[in-house]
Amino acid sequence: MSSKPATATTKKQLPLSKRIAANWQLYLLLLIPVIITVIYKYIPMYGIQIAFRDYKASKGYLGSEWVGLYWFQRFFSSPNCVRMIRNTILLSLYSLLWSFPVPIILSLAINQLRFAKFKRVVQTVLYAPHFISTMVLCGMIRIFLSPSGGLINLLLGTQVDFLTMSSAFRTIYIASGIWQDAGWGTIIYLATLSSVDSSLYEAAKVDGASMFQRILNIDVPALIPMAILQLIMSAGNLMNVGFEKVWLLQTDLNKATSDVIAVYVYEQGIENAKYSYSTAVGLFNTAVNIVLLIIVNKIASKASDVSFV
């Protein structure tokens, strides 16, 4: 009885070098993504220091003057700071609020389809918008919302330029995002539902459970852990509003709601060559994302015993 635990303990106590030698193929495969991650993710972090320097390309990182939190103070004292932070948070929060439940609802509905061919057609139709590039999508939006001949105005019998209305920008951004990504987001939920034991459905039918009751008592509980993980990951990107889409749909007349941090970083860093200032703003944005990720992860782990980190 005591030999098996002893054997397991002996294996655990093997030196790291011997464990690597015994499984060198797996460690070799692991080494490739580790090296790529270090090169493209960690080494560039060395450049974060320019957020605390008055960076001059001719002087390099270490040669540029150290200014501490000057650029952060300058950002927080800028007249548009509060507006940009508010727009970024609201746009992300509303996107999460409206778009997060849609893939779950779609996956529950698709899972109830019993005709395999029809089910595949529905999935293909829902997946297709995901493969449309952001540039093309924004072009379609501009055509559909055109005041002269646009589909929406033809249906409403109006001639309104919706893209010049600040009050309509968030609705346009969120609705187009749901149309483009909701179908693609169902993949992971459908994969989760496919792993549910079919005997549970059969037992529920025998007990007289309706389709809605089966969804509520079998499908939904199966999706909750995955939904919580997806929520945690989404919360970690709450401040990362899609730059390309906002940039392409932004006009001078809708900046009251479309002026977000990502666009501001691009304008200051690329267009105005204010590298230190734009890096400081981007670093603040990243720091907020990390804090939000930790908070949501802690709340989720206490509420449902599911955590991401």
Side-chain angles (χ1 to χ4, degrees):
M1 295 293 290
S2 60
S3 60
K4 290 184 178 179
T7 303
T9 304
T10 303
K11 288 183 178 179
K12 290 183 179 179
Q13 291 176 350
L14 286 174
L16 178 62
S17 58
K18 290 187 178 181
R19 295 203 300 270
I20 293 177
N23 303 280
W24 66 269
Q25 299 95 336
L26 298 177
Y27 283 98
L28 184 61
L29 289 174
L30 180 63
L31 187 63
I32 298 172
V34 168
I35 292 175
I36 293 175
T37 302
V38 170
I39 292 175
Y40 290 101
K41 297 293 184 179
Y42 286 94
I43 292 179
M45 288 185 183
Y46 178 75
I48 290 177
Q49 63 177 294
I50 69 176
F52 306 95
R53 296 179 181 273
D54 184 12
Y55 178 69
K56 305 294 183 184
S58 58
K59 296 181 179 180
Y61 291 139
L62 300 179
S64 300
E65 180 185 359
W66 182 271
V67 294
L69 299 176
Y70 170 76
W71 299 115
F72 294 92
Q73 294 172 351
R74 180 172 171 180
F75 171 63
F76 292 129
S77 61
S78 63
N80 295 329
C81 174
V82 175
R83 185 181 74 176
M84 285 186 294
I85 295 175
R86 183 182 68 250
N87 288 341
T88 302
I89 293 176
L90 288 179
L91 195 58
S92 297
L93 197 60
Y94 289 156
S95 296
L96 181 62
L97 178 65
W98 289 103
S99 63
F100 183 76
V102 176
I104 299 175
I105 296 171
L106 285 176
S107 62
L108 292 171
I110 293 172
N111 192 55
Q112 297 302 315
L113 298 177
R114 292 295 171 256
F115 297 100
K117 289 185 179 179
F118 180 67
K119 186 175 181 178
R120 287 196 294 269
V121 170
V122 171
Q123 288 177 292
T124 302
V125 171
L126 291 174
Y127 296 165
H130 176 77
F131 299 98
I132 299 175
S133 69
T134 304
M135 178 71 76
V136 174
L137 175 67
C138 292
M140 293 170 61
I141 292 173
R142 288 186 175 276
I143 293 173
F144 290 152
L145 299 180
S146 173
S148 56
L151 178 62
I152 304 300
N153 279 294
L154 288 177
L155 293 174
L156 297 177
T158 58
Q159 290 185 339
V160 179
D161 191 354
F162 293 99
L163 287 176
T164 62
M165 300 170 59
S166 297
S167 58
F169 178 81
R170 289 175 186 149
T171 302
I172 295 170
Y173 181 92
I174 295 169
S176 59
I178 293 174
W179 175 76
Q180 185 178 25
D181 296 322
W184 186 256
T186 62
I187 292 178
I188 191 168
Y189 295 114
L190 286 173
T192 303
L193 290 174
S194 66
S195 64
V196 177
D197 190 353
S198 59
S199 63
L200 294 175
Y201 297 107
E202 296 173 1
K205 288 180 181 178
V206 171
D207 291 338
S210 64
M211 182 181 68
F212 178 75
Q213 289 174 326
R214 294 196 298 270
I215 292 174
L216 191 63
N217 295 288
I218 299 175
D219 293 342
V220 172
L223 291 180
I224 286 177
M226 184 57 65
I228 292 175
L229 287 178
Q230 292 291 97
L231 179 62
I232 294 171
M233 295 174 67
S234 299
N237 291 313
L238 189 63
M239 296 290 286
N240 289 340
V241 177
F243 157 74
E244 292 181 355
K245 192 174 176 181
V246 176
W247 175 255
L248 293 170
L249 294 178
Q250 189 179 73
T251 65
D252 291 336
L253 298 178
N254 66 20
K255 276 197 171 185
T257 54
S258 67
D259 200 8
V260 296
I261 292 178
V263 174
Y264 187 68
V265 169
Y266 171 81
E267 292 174 343
Q268 298 300 317
I270 304 299
E271 294 184 349
N272 299 329
K274 297 179 180 179
Y275 304 117
S276 294
Y277 182 54
S278 61
T279 302
V281 178
L283 184 58
F284 160 75
N285 195 56
T286 302
V288 173
N289 277 330
I290 293 174
V291 172
L292 289 173
L293 176 62
I294 294 173
I295 292 174
V296 174
N297 182 70
K298 290 292 184 183
I299 295 173
S301 62
K302 289 183 179 179
S304 61
D305 296 327
V306 177
S307 62
F308 185 68
V309 290

